[in-house]
Structure formats: structure tokens, C-alpha cells
Amino acid sequence: MDAPPLRERAEAALRAQRLHTPAGDNAVEHYLALREREPDAGVAAALAELQPYVLISTEQALAQQQLDEARRLIGLLARMDAQAPALPRLRESLRVAQERADRDEGARIAEAPKPVPAKPAPSSALARTVPPSAPLPAPVVAKAAPPPAPKETTPPAPVVRSAPEPASLPRLLRDAAPRYPLAARNRRIEGRVQVAFTIQPDGSVTDVRTVSAQPEGLFEQAALAAAARWQFEPTPHRVSTTRTLTFRLPPDSKG
């Protein structure tokens, strides 16, 4: 396909929020095909802006054990940027998840009940030659000794554990403003999204998820994509925290 139709398809998919799904008809794949024909700065910028969305959706697919979808998205991310820092971690997570799924499937098959072959019935001639068995004596049931009386014990003293002090939040080194969704901009809607995330020891952000959104269904994906691009200062341990992103239209667009 020529470059102009590809560009139109990519922009149409972007307007319709088909960022990386469905497979074969989404903005990422159309921009990748366009990059092969016209590797200009606009295409590179569009793919760079879409990359956090692919990253977040990959992590969500892994968390939900949607391994086929995670594998497809990792392939897309590798085509967008073969040197993406998250690729080794995502591939390792996929490998571990696939091994776990294979083990679970093997255990399920091993624990499935096996059919027991039926024993052949004795022939009538053999049945006539076998004398009836003598009645068995009634079993002797031994009387169980009464249980010993419970000993009085002193209840254990309650254990009081002090809660760990909250870890200090590392300093934010690189912020990333969220992309204002086109649907919200056209309808002049403002809002806010609270996201929860984990800061890794190297300062990168993972496990990004939405805590609340007002209104719902408009700004969540943009907030998640922005959070994935944040970079904090290195920390000796993981830190889980939250942050609220506010979406406000510029004053000149509210008229």
C-alpha cells in the first residue's frame, strides 16, 4: 500500500482510539508500515507517543494471564523500538508466565482420574464349580477409650508487631505530561485520574493501574501511558505510591 492511504488509516485508527488493537487494523501497525515507506519525523514521533500505551497493555495482559496477547504486544514493542528498556523485563515475565502455565496444565492432566478397566464376569460354568463362601464372622468392634480430659493451659500472650515506617518517596527526575484525549478535547471535558504504581530500584515505573477517574472512560489510558514514562531517582528498595493527574484545557480553548 502507498504511503498516503497508510497515513490516512493510521490517523483514522488514532482518532478512533484503536491504538494497538485489533491486530492488523490499529494505529501502531499502520505507522510501522508507513515508517517502512516514509521514515519521516512525524511517523517517529507518533510511534514514540504510542509506545507507552503498548507497554502498559503488555503488563496488563501478563497480569491477566493473556499470554498470546502479551506475546503479540511484545512483538509490536520490539518493532517500534528494538532497544526499548522494558523489552528484557517483559520477555522474562512472559517466559516465566508461560512456564507456569505449562506446569499447571501438566499437573491438571496428571491429576485427571484415569478410567479403570472393567473386570470380566466369570463364566457360568466356572460360577457353578465355585462353592459358596462360608459366612464371615462378625467383626469385633473395640471400644475406644474415652479421650483424656483437656489440660488447662495458659493462653499465649498476644504478639504486638510494629508497622514498618513508610518509605520516603524518591525524587522525580523525569516527568511526562499526559496526552489530552481527542474525544475529551473536542467535547471540552476536563477531569483527573489517580494512578497507583511501583518505583523499581533503578527508578523506572511499573505496575501502573488506575485507582479512580473523574469522569470515567476518558482519561485513564492517557494517564497510564504518561505514568509509564516517569523516571525517579534510584532507590534501594521498591516503593509503591499514588499520584493524581489533572486534565485542564487551556483558557483560550474554553470559550
Side-chain angles (χ1 to χ4, degrees), residues 40-127:
D40 57 30
V43 173
L47 288 172
E49 186 176 354
L50 288 167
Q51 184 173 330
Y53 292 90
V54 178
L55 172 60
I56 291 295
S57 296
T58 305
E59 292 180 338
Q60 292 174 344
L62 287 169
Q64 298 168 7
Q65 294 297 302
Q66 298 173 356
L67 302 188
D68 290 340
E69 178 66 2
R71 188 174 293 105
R72 184 186 74 85
L73 292 173
I74 290 174
L76 272 185
L77 186 60
R79 290 173 59 193
M80 298 169 78
D81 181 7
Q83 305 301 321
L87 273 176
R89 173 176 58 83
L90 294 174
R91 285 168 172 160
E92 177 63 15
S93 298
L94 177 62
R95 184 190 66 80
V96 172
Q98 187 63 62
E99 289 182 353
R100 185 185 304 115
D102 293 342
R103 286 197 304 268
D104 293 344
E105 179 65 15
R108 185 187 67 80
I109 295 174
E111 293 175 358
K114 296 186 172 81
V116 179
K119 295 182 179 180
S123 63
S124 57
L126 180 60

Side-chain angles (χ1 to χ4, degrees), residues 172-215:
L172 180 63
L173 300 180
R174 186 182 70 220
D175 202 352
R179 172 178 173 269
Y180 212 104
L182 184 61
R185 182 184 296 274
N186 291 340
R187 295 158 59 187
R188 297 180 180 179
I189 297 177
E190 299 180 338
R192 62 181 182 273
V193 178
Q194 184 182 28
V195 296
F197 55 94
T198 300
I199 304 172
Q200 298 296 327
D202 63 355
S204 62
V205 170
T206 61
D207 303 328
V208 186
R209 58 200 180 277
T210 302
V211 177
S212 62
Q214 182 63 39

